[in-house]
Amino acid sequence: MDTAALVPSRYQSIQRATSAPSTQKQVAHVGAPPPRTSSLLAPIMLLTGHEAEVLCVRMHPQGEVIVSGGFDRLVYIWRVYGECENMAVLKGHDGPILQLVHSTQGEYLFTASTDKTGALWDMETGIRIKRFKGHTSIVNSIHASRKGDQMAVTGSDDGTIHVYDIRRKLPVRTFNNTYQVTAVCFNEGADQVFSGGIDNQLKVWDMRRDACVNTLKGHTDTISSLCLSPDGSFLLSNSMDNTVRIFDVRPFAPIERCVKILQGAQHNFEKNLIKANWHCSGNYVVCGSADRCVYVWDVTSSPGRVLYKLPGHQGSVNEADFHPQEPIVVSGGSDKCVYLGELKL
């Protein structure tokens, strides 16, 4: 990685400001601060450095670093603990970065960009290993397989879905959709691909049959993100119809596969591809929102109950994600900021 790409840290920690009481009576009125629930330096950490909108942000599977990308065409890598220093900046895309995801173990980072390509990065060295070419328009989404040979799937405004084996130059499979594809995701075994787009439908593409084998209906506007649950049984979808839905994607599931509708998160005229993600337990879901808040739901309750509506951003929150071990949430927004905050789950 080019050491010249390293940038000085620009961060702030936000803590409750209380003046020291001068008497015992004042101490009783002020009370003790709420107990801490994480190892963060402060309950809320603000990470600044991006020069434009932050469009995507994810936690590393090991929980030690955060990656964020956006309109400035750069991938920033931040430490989670301590003073949340910026460790590195990865350069290589010629357009805004719309999505980034890690491989299961976290050794690789996959990115999707408006420059019509995806990219594969080595997380240890920061070097771009591979470019995924073949699309003729914006690549909106990218996802990595969980099992078997490392695969990647991309969805584009050109209406195609490409599946890549990272050891090969060209796509190993291409699915043709009628409309622009805005979100893609593998199933647990990577033998099926889920896609969503401006036609408001979730489609299931089978790698062996080389065809669309099912359509999951329910959304009434463009689907902005897809995310598979930790156990591989449920698919989380966010849509510009202002609903986040959970679909049962297990084999032989009931005909009505939409098992939960989560309300609260908003889209607006900006039409950003706002993303939702699962907690590692599968019990909670987090999502960004155009109303500048982060929403956290308990999906074990019926209906899904909003646990948190977290303010702080001064622009649309475009993605939020959970820490893999601690009750911490990270969010990135159009205000160029990344926030870390601890929860009580």
Side-chain angles (χ1 to χ4, degrees), residues 89-213:
V89 179
L90 310 184
K91 301 179 180 180
H93 279 296
D94 296 324
I97 297 168
L98 300 183
Q99 188 169 20
L100 39 77
V101 294
H102 290 99
S103 58
T104 303
Q105 300 302 317
E107 69 271 36
Y108 299 124
L109 177 70
F110 298 83
T111 55
S113 172
T114 63
D115 64 8
K116 307 177 186 178
T117 70
L120 172 66
W121 308 78
D122 186 309
M123 277 297 293
E124 185 174 351
T125 64
I127 295 173
R128 187 181 67 190
I129 303 171
K130 186 179 182 64
R131 294 182 73 188
F132 300 116
K133 298 181 180 181
H135 287 294
T136 58
S137 188
I138 292 170
V139 180
N140 293 306
S141 182
I142 192 167
H143 196 264
S145 60
R146 292 183 178 180
K147 297 179 179 178
D149 296 333
Q150 187 63 69
M151 310 281 281
V153 59
T154 56
S156 169
D157 274 357
D158 63 13
T160 64
I161 301 158
H162 289 331
V163 179
Y164 299 87
D165 184 326
I166 66 169
R167 301 167 298 180
R168 300 184 182 182
K169 183 176 181 180
L170 299 176
V172 296
R173 189 79 78 250
T174 295
F175 300 111
N176 292 298
N177 194 50
T178 308
Y179 302 99
Q180 292 96 318
V181 179
T182 52
V184 291
C185 181
F186 279 114
N187 72 341
E188 181 74 6
D191 55 357
Q192 289 184 333
V193 171
F194 305 109
S195 74
I198 67 168
D199 56 355
N200 315 338
Q201 296 180 347
L202 278 170
K203 295 182 179 179
V204 184
W205 305 85
D206 191 281
M207 296 276 285
R208 291 163 295 191
R209 299 184 189 179
D210 201 17
C212 178
V213 294

Side-chain angles (χ1 to χ4, degrees), residues 31-49:
R36 296 293 306 279
T37 61
S38 76
S39 302
L40 289 177
L41 184 63
I44 302 173
M45 301 293 290
L46 170 60
L47 287 61
T48 58

Side-chain angles (χ1 to χ4, degrees), residues 224-297:
S224 61
S225 78
L226 295 174
C227 185
L228 191 67
S229 65
D231 66 358
S233 298
F234 299 94
L235 184 67
L236 181 69
S237 63
N238 187 25
S239 169
M240 294 181 189
D241 64 10
N242 297 330
T243 66
V244 178
R245 293 175 182 253
I246 298 176
F247 292 88
D248 188 337
V249 293
R250 293 173 294 184
F252 312 112
I255 296 176
E256 180 50 60
R257 289 181 175 263
C258 182
V259 296
K260 194 145 296 187
I261 302 174
L262 308 176
Q263 305 274 2
Q266 302 294 310
H267 287 74
N268 64 9
F269 65 92
E270 295 177 324
K271 300 294 184 182
N272 288 351
L273 296 179
I274 297 174
K275 300 169 184 65
N277 288 298
W278 290 92
H279 186 266
C280 59
S281 67
N283 295 331
Y284 308 101
V285 165
V286 65
C287 187
S289 176
D291 64 3
R292 306 182 179 184
C293 293
V294 175
Y295 286 79
V296 179
W297 293 272

